[in-house]
Amino acid sequence: MKNYLEEQLKKRLTELGWPVDDLQFSRPKKADNGDWSTNIAMALARVVRQAPLQIAHTMMDELSLDPEIVDRYDIVAPGFVNFFQSPDYLAHQIRQIVTQDTRYGRNNSGAGQKAQVEFVSANPTGPLTVGHGRQTVLGDTIANILDWSGYEVVREYYFNNAGRQMRKLGESLRARYLTLKGLPTELPEDGYQGEYLVDIARDLLDKQPDLTVDTELSVFKEYAEAGIFQIIKGTLARMGVTHDVFYNENTLYESGKVEEVLDELRRKDLVYEKDGATWFKTTALDFEQDRVLVKSTGEPTYRLPDMAYHREKFRRGFNFIVDVFGADHQDTYPDVLAALKVMGFDTSKVHVVIHQFVTLMRGDEVVKMSTRKAEFVTLDELLDEVGVDVVRYFYIMRGAGSHLNFDLDLAKRQTEENPVFYLQYAHARIASIFRKAEERGIEFDAHAGLKKLNEPETLALINELLTFPEVVERCLRTLAVHHLPNYLYSLATALHKFYTEHRVISDDVTLSQARLLLLKAVKIALRNGLQILGVTAPERM
RNA sequence: GCUCCCGUAGCUCAACCGGAUAGAGCAACAGUCUUCUAAACUGUAGGUUACAGGUUCGAGUCCUGUCGGGAGUACCA
């Protein structure tokens, strides 16, 4: 309908010799204001030098619209033109949904394009925490949206298993191992104190009992890394997340890609040496201060391999690149992007999604988290308590830019007041009606006449139903995926209201079949939406 | 000090590119099950969108400033 209106109005505006650039449509909040509305008359007022209402009339008077699509339109002060869709059009749309079934909501705006979403990317120093959970769900859901928009999507996990942190990890494991062996050993300063290392140490002792203080650290380091990755991957699997690629930062050194970036920046005269370190001349690119690329110890800082990594993303042919970071990485990407731009890449293809932190609460108390100390709640523990559906929904229901308060007590208590169940219940309710229909011998008819569907609650439900594809598109455009749970929630509300007012199965077979057809379409939208969120759609509860 | 995010009902949060009377849930109060699942629905109450200016037909949304919260500002990642 929107496309049709756009087409017709563009034609008309061109006839009148008026610009079409500002033409846009929106869905009014109130039903009285139609199904689609345009503010073009107000937007043109200045250019055309006429009153908005007059412009609207001039525009609409000579325009004939297809009555099978547009029922009527109103011109309303201060200058809105509101369009109402025709019943035939609605009926046609509902049948379309049932035909499309698992494809309803998909679009092909990304057809033939490759997208990559990098998320989680936690170094293997400990189990994923509640803090990582937000990023996990955010990234996976964005990837799902890209998939539903026709992109070929790669989910990627970038990690670093070299450097100071990993050395500390190896040392920590060694201390745990030796202690278990009866040689009490202090954990190193800033070591990792988590219980999980004791488990891994026990495991190592079991398999290789002969290690000593003099054994190469790398043995402990590698064993710790493998053990922790196993834990992390297990958690991701429970979350329903599968990464296609685990990208090891180290390969960028081995292949010389890191060196190549340095050379290239050097050729652009953006690198200099000072105090034994190698600096990136970011001030030449309008930044406040220069940044170190290679420390005086010879070790590169994170940003140099990051540049190399992103350069590889471009070279691998991705057209749409999403980086999901926590707020603490705020400052790390601008100079990385700047370097890529200098190297001639189109950085508008990179979309950085930054999410604010999760504040973990136990009742009124804030739980402090630190991977190094033992103070944290793991994502696994959370999954044990509330289950995947609740975890995924809770993490995604708020905008990424907002701080998220995750009250453990509340989440654990979640049983009846839970929005996830509200959604799932809507789906299960429809399933239940279909079971009942079958029992009563009422056949489902995909071609049932829909003329009787005209009550307010029914029309409200239909309108909500039909906006699903727009919501998917909006999620893609804004990469703000919380729009989806919000939408599904209002779809569920519309369904529950409809259910309360109207019996689906009655003696009026024609009406029953019409309502069944509508509910079939609603069920499809709910199921597809929940699927994007990674939440199950139960047939009964 | 500087940069970024945030400030909306008692609490947790929505509001697509600036649109029409700022919406939900929870908590409070009052109702609705002989009928497809009451994990639901209806109603009442709750607001100077932190504050002060500005831009315009129109501002929660954009601009400037102030206040408050968070993150960053490393030769950590």
Side-chain angles (χ1 to χ4, degrees):
Chain A
M1 169 135 169
K2 184 186 168 189
N3 292 339
Y4 173 76
L5 290 173
E6 204 161 4
E7 220 172 85
Q8 296 301 311
L9 284 190
K10 261 189 188 161
K11 218 161 74 186
R12 180 65 184 138
L13 289 174
T14 311
E15 267 173 37
L16 290 163
W18 292 342
V20 298
D21 302 343
D22 288 334
L23 183 61
Q24 49 181 279
F25 294 88
S26 62
R27 281 194 179 270
K29 286 175 200 159
K30 288 191 59 181
D32 291 350
N33 290 330
D35 300 301
W36 285 102
S37 176
T38 182
N39 62 352
I40 185 66
M42 287 176 286
L44 286 176
R46 180 174 293 185
V47 192
V48 182
R49 294 165 158 275
Q50 287 178 30
L53 287 174
Q54 193 185 337
I55 293 173
H57 279 107
T58 310
M59 181 173 73
M60 297 307 296
D61 285 352
E62 297 294 313
L63 189 64
S64 66
L65 295 168
D66 186 346
E68 292 204 351
I69 300 177
V70 181
D71 188 48
R72 64 195 171 86
Y73 67 85
D74 287 344
I75 294 173
V76 180
F80 291 105
V81 184
N82 298 332
F83 300 90
F84 294 78
Q85 50 204 186
S86 77
D88 288 346
Y89 175 79
L90 293 183
H92 177 70
Q93 294 296 303
I94 292 169
R95 293 197 191 92
Q96 278 281 306
I97 293 172
V98 175
T99 308
Q100 291 178 6
D101 199 3
T102 55
R103 297 193 323 279
Y104 178 55
R106 286 191 179 269
N107 67 79
N108 50 14
S109 57
Q113 305 218 71
K114 286 173 67 183
Q116 187 222 34
V117 184
E118 181 207 333
F119 64 111
V120 187
S121 295
N123 285 339
T125 57
L128 295 180
T129 66
V130 165
H132 294 117
R134 190 172 195 185
Q135 185 168 149
T136 305
V137 180
L138 202 51
D140 195 49
T141 308
I142 287 171
N144 285 341
I145 289 287
L146 288 166
D147 176 56
W148 276 64
S149 304
Y151 285 90
E152 185 190 320
V153 185
V154 170
R155 279 159 233 254
E156 197 150 315
Y157 188 124
Y158 177 70
F159 69 98
N160 167 10
N161 61 353
R164 205 181 69 91
Q165 279 187 48
M166 292 303 288
R167 266 199 310 278
K168 285 279 177 221
L169 181 73
E171 289 166 9
S172 302
L173 179 64
R174 182 171 60 192
R176 293 296 196 191
Y177 177 94
L178 294 172
T179 304
L180 281 178
K181 219 177 161 178
L183 300 164
T185 308
E186 292 268 323
L187 280 174
E189 196 153 330
D190 288 339
Y192 292 90
Q193 303 173 17
E195 214 34 45
Y196 58 92
L197 271 186
V198 180
D199 295 338
I200 293 172
R202 197 170 290 125
D203 197 45
L204 179 59
L205 185 62
D206 207 38
K207 295 205 172 88
Q208 303 184 48
D210 304 325
L211 306 182
T212 69
V213 196
D214 300 322
T215 307
E216 263 187 67
L217 186 62
S218 64
V219 173
F220 293 101
K221 209 173 78 176
E222 281 163 23
Y223 202 81
E225 180 189 334
I228 288 167
F229 251 132
Q230 203 180 339
I231 296 170
I232 289 176
K233 286 178 184 174
T235 309
L236 291 173
R238 288 181 74 187
M239 293 284 286
V241 174
T242 310
H243 285 88
D244 304 294
V245 177
F246 281 78
Y247 202 104
N248 189 340
E249 179 186 319
N250 208 30
T251 60
L252 292 166
Y253 293 101
E254 288 164 356
S255 58
K257 299 275 165 50
V258 173
E259 200 58 36
E260 283 175 25
V261 168
L262 202 52
D263 288 345
E264 198 161 339
L265 292 178
R266 210 168 255 141
R267 274 199 300 279
K268 308 262 184 208
D269 196 27
L270 289 166
V271 174
Y272 65 94
E273 312 286 329
K274 193 181 92 185
D275 303 333
T278 306
W279 294 72
F280 183 22
K281 207 187 289 175
T282 9
T283 44
L285 304 169
D286 284 340
F287 283 79
E288 289 207 357
Q289 50 186 301
D290 291 339
R291 306 283 190 167
V292 170
L293 290 172
V294 183
K295 299 184 240 177
S296 51
T297 57
E299 257 180 299
T301 61
Y302 64 87
R303 78 189 95 233
L304 184 54
D306 251 23
M307 290 167 186
Y309 178 41
H310 279 81
R311 194 175 71 137
E312 285 312 294
K313 292 187 186 190
F314 279 104
R315 291 177 149 196
R316 286 158 68 194
F318 293 114
N319 313 95
F320 198 108
I321 297 165
V322 182
D323 290 342
V324 186
F325 294 142
D328 54 337
H329 283 60
Q330 194 88 227
D331 261 17
T332 72
Y333 71 91
D335 40 315
V336 171
L337 288 186
L340 287 162
K341 204 166 178 182
V342 166
M343 291 188 281
F345 295 105
D346 177 8
T347 49
S348 70
K349 290 177 179 172
V350 180
H351 306 268
V352 179
V353 176
I354 300 231
H355 69 269
Q356 297 301 310
F357 277 157
V358 177
T359 308
L360 194 59
M361 315 280 290
R362 258 186 217 286
D364 291 333
E365 205 181 324
V366 175
V367 182
K368 286 268 179 192
M369 287 185 294
S370 154
T371 312
R372 215 157 290 168
K373 299 180 185 149
E375 302 175 283
F376 57 81
V377 176
T378 64
L379 196 45
D380 270 330
E381 284 168 334
L382 192 61
L383 287 167
D384 291 341
E385 295 291 343
V386 298
V388 199
D389 286 345
V390 173
V391 169
R392 288 199 64 131
Y393 191 89
F394 266 63
Y395 272 124
I396 211 72
M397 68 196 283
R398 305 298 181 213
S402 306
H403 291 92
L404 182 68
N405 281 325
F406 205 119
D407 186 337
L408 277 174
D409 286 349
L410 190 73
K412 286 173 183 175
R413 229 187 301 127
Q414 288 295 343
T415 46
E416 288 168 22
E417 359 170 312
N418 200 310
V420 190
F421 297 152
Y422 182 85
L423 278 186
Q424 295 183 317
Y425 181 51
H427 186 266
R429 223 174 195 182
I430 297 173
S432 165
I433 292 169
F434 273 93
R435 284 193 295 272
K436 185 63 97 183
E438 200 172 339
E439 231 171 74
R440 296 277 175 85
I442 297 174
E443 274 181 46
F444 174 74
D445 180 6
H447 302 287
L450 298 171
K451 291 228 182 327
K452 293 192 175 181
L453 300 183
N454 53 19
E455 310 87 347
E457 299 80 14
T458 311
L459 292 174
L461 176 59
I462 294 172
N463 278 319
E464 204 64 47
L465 170 66
L466 296 185
T467 58
F468 180 51
E470 293 159 34
V471 175
V472 175
E473 281 168 32
R474 191 157 120 214
C475 287
L476 174 71
R477 194 174 66 242
T478 59
L479 291 180
V481 287
H482 68 282
H483 290 129
L484 185 54
N486 288 345
Y487 161 73
L488 291 175
Y489 195 89
S490 35
L491 178 59
T493 300
L495 182 271
H496 288 312
K497 283 181 182 174
F498 165 83
Y499 176 93
T500 309
E501 291 297 322
H502 307 290
R503 279 193 68 77
V504 175
I505 296 161
S506 65
D507 296 334
D508 184 340
V509 177
T510 321
L511 181 59
S512 298
Q513 287 186 322
R515 287 180 174 163
L516 279 175
L517 181 52
L518 169 60
L519 287 204
K520 175 77 177 168
V522 173
K523 190 168 182 251
I524 286 169
L526 284 170
R527 183 203 56 203
N528 291 2
L530 286 169
Q531 193 187 325
I532 295 174
L533 294 182
V535 175
T536 56
E539 290 294 308
R540 56 178 86 225
M541 288 174 75

